[in-house]
C-alpha cells in the first residue's frame, strides 16, 4: 500500500529536477501552438491515428504518426475566404481550442466563431505541400446564435454528441452542431473566470476550473430531452444525415 512505499521512491516522484525529455522536436507552425488534438479516422488504417495542431498563425495542420511515433505533415487544411479564394488561414484570428467527434474536428477561435471540419478526406498534392481542401462543413458564429466573444474551450458530450462551448465573456452554450442550433445557454456571473471545463458523466454536469484556484460545477439540462426539443426542418434533416454519413 501507499504507507509501505520507500521514502526514496517518494522523493523520486517529488524531485523537481526530473524533467520531461522530448523524444523528438518538430517545427510545426510559424508561431505559438495553442491547441492540439488526437483522433482515429474511421477509414484510416494507421493504428496510431493522426494529430491536429493549430494556434496563433491561424492554420490547422494534420500530422500522420508512424510506427516509430515520428510526425510527418499529412495535410494543411484550407478554406474559402470572403472573396471565395482558397486560403490556408482557417479563422480570422488565433485558433485557441479544439474538440473531436468521430471524423469531425471543431476549432474555436479568438474571432468568436467555431468551425467544423471533416478530417476524413484524403489530402491532395500541391507544390507548396499536401493540402486538405473542401473540408469545412459549417461555421457556428453570432449569425446562428453563437458567441459574441473569443472562444476559450470546447468539448463534446457523449453519447448525445452535443457540442459545449465557452467564451471569454463566460457564456456557455450547448449546440446540436448537425443543425447549427443552440439548444441551451447560460452565463457564469461570479467574480472568478472559468478557464477550462470537463464533463462528469456520472453526475451529468460540467466541472469547471477557475482563475481563482477553485473547481465549480454547472448543472446541465436533460440532454436527450433537449435534443428532442430542438427545431427540425427538411433542410436540417438533410444536413443531419450528411453529418451522420461522415460520422462513422
Amino acid at each position: 500500500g501507499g504507507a509501505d512505499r520507500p521514502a526514496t521512491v517518494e522523493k523520486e516522484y517529488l524531485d523537481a529536477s526530473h524533467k520531461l525529455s522530448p523524444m523528438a522536436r518538430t517545427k510545426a507552425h510559424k508561431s505559438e501552438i495553442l491547441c492540439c488534438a488526437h483522433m482515429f479516422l474511421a477509414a484510416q488504417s494507421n493504428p496510431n491515428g493522426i494529430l491536429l495542431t493549430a494556434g496563433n498563425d491561424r492554420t490547422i495542420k494534420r500530422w500522420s504518426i508512424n510506427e516509430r511515433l515520428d510526425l510527418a505533415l499529412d495535410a494543411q487544411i484550407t478554406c474559402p475566404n470572403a472573396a471565395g479564394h482558397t486560403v490556408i488561414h482557417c479563422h480570422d484570428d488565433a485558433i485557441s481550442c479544439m474538440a473531436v467527434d468521430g471524423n469531425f474536428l471543431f476549432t474555436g477561435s479568438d474571432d468568436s466563431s467555431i468551425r467544423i471540419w471533416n478530417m476524413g478526406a484524403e489530402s491532395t498534392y500541391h507544390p507548396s505541400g499536401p493540402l486538405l481542401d473542401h473540408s469545412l462543413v459549417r461555421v457556428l458564429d453570432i449569425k446562428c446564435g453563437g458567441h459574441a466573444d473569443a472562444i476559450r474551450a470546447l468539448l463534446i458530450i457523449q453519447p448525445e454528441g452535443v457540442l459545449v462551448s465557452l467564451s471569454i465573456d463566460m457564456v456557455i452554450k450547448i449546440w446540436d452542431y448537425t443543425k447549427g442550433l443552440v439548444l441551451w445557454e447560460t452565463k457564469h456571473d461570479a467574480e472568478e473566470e472559468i478557464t477550462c471545463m470537463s464533463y462528469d458523466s456520472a453526475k451529468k454536469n460540467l466541472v469547471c476550473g477557475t482563475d481563482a484556484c477553485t473547481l465549480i460545477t454547472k448543472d446541465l439540462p436533460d440532454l436527450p430531452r433537449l435534443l428532442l426539443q430542438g427545431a427540425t426542418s427538411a433542410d436540417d434533416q438533410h444536413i443531419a444525415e450528411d453529418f451522420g454519413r461522415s460520422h462513422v
Side-chain angles (χ1 to χ4, degrees), residues 101-140:
D101 187 20
N103 281 358
F104 294 114
L105 169 69
F106 302 80
T107 54
S109 170
D110 288 356
D111 66 12
S112 77
S113 75
I114 301 164
R115 296 194 173 195
I116 308 173
W117 313 84
N118 184 0
M119 293 289 100
E122 293 290 332
S123 58
T124 55
Y125 176 77
H126 290 258
S128 58
L131 298 179
L132 185 62
D133 299 318
H134 312 298
S135 61
L136 179 62
V137 177
R138 167 165 278 158
V139 178
L140 305 176

Side-chain angles (χ1 to χ4, degrees), residues 150-164:
I151 310 299
R152 174 166 286 179
L154 299 172
L155 66 84
I156 297 290
I157 295 178
Q158 299 293 6
E160 291 79 12
V162 295
L163 172 69
V164 184

Side-chain angles (χ1 to χ4, degrees), residues 8 28-29 56 88 98 123 126 132 152 175 195 213 245:
T8 53
H29 287 260
N56 277 332
I88 61 171
M98 289 180 170
S123 58
H126 290 258
L132 185 62
R152 174 166 286 179
W175 299 81
T195 56
C213 311
R245 280 192 289 271

Side-chain angles (χ1 to χ4, degrees), residues 13-134:
Y13 276 95
L14 298 173
D15 191 347
S17 67
H18 287 256
K19 297 180 179 179
L20 180 65
S21 299
M23 294 179 63
R25 291 184 185 274
T26 302
K27 181 63 176 177
H29 287 260
K30 293 182 178 179
S31 59
E32 186 179 10
I33 297 173
L34 300 177
C35 53
C36 57
H38 181 267
M39 67 176 0
F40 292 98
L41 295 175
Q44 187 187 57
S45 59
N46 186 350
N48 299 313
I50 60 170
L51 182 71
L52 301 153
T53 59
N56 277 332
D57 64 6
R58 301 180 288 150
T59 66
I60 303 171
K61 295 184 179 182
R62 187 175 77 178
W63 304 84
S64 62
I65 308 171
N66 65 19
E67 292 302 319
R68 296 189 303 168
L69 303 183
D70 296 323
L71 296 179
L73 182 62
D74 178 65
Q76 183 153 318
I77 284 67
T78 68
C79 68
N81 64 10
H85 302 301
T86 298
V87 296
I88 61 171
H89 296 128
C90 297
H91 278 272
D92 295 330
D93 208 332
I95 301 171
S96 56
C97 52
M98 289 180 170
V100 296
D101 187 20
N103 281 358
F104 294 114
L105 169 69
F106 302 80
T107 54
S109 170
D110 288 356
D111 66 12
S112 77
S113 75
I114 301 164
R115 296 194 173 195
I116 308 173
W117 313 84
N118 184 0
M119 293 289 100
E122 293 290 332
S123 58
T124 55
Y125 176 77
H126 290 258
S128 58
L131 298 179
L132 185 62
D133 299 318
H134 312 298

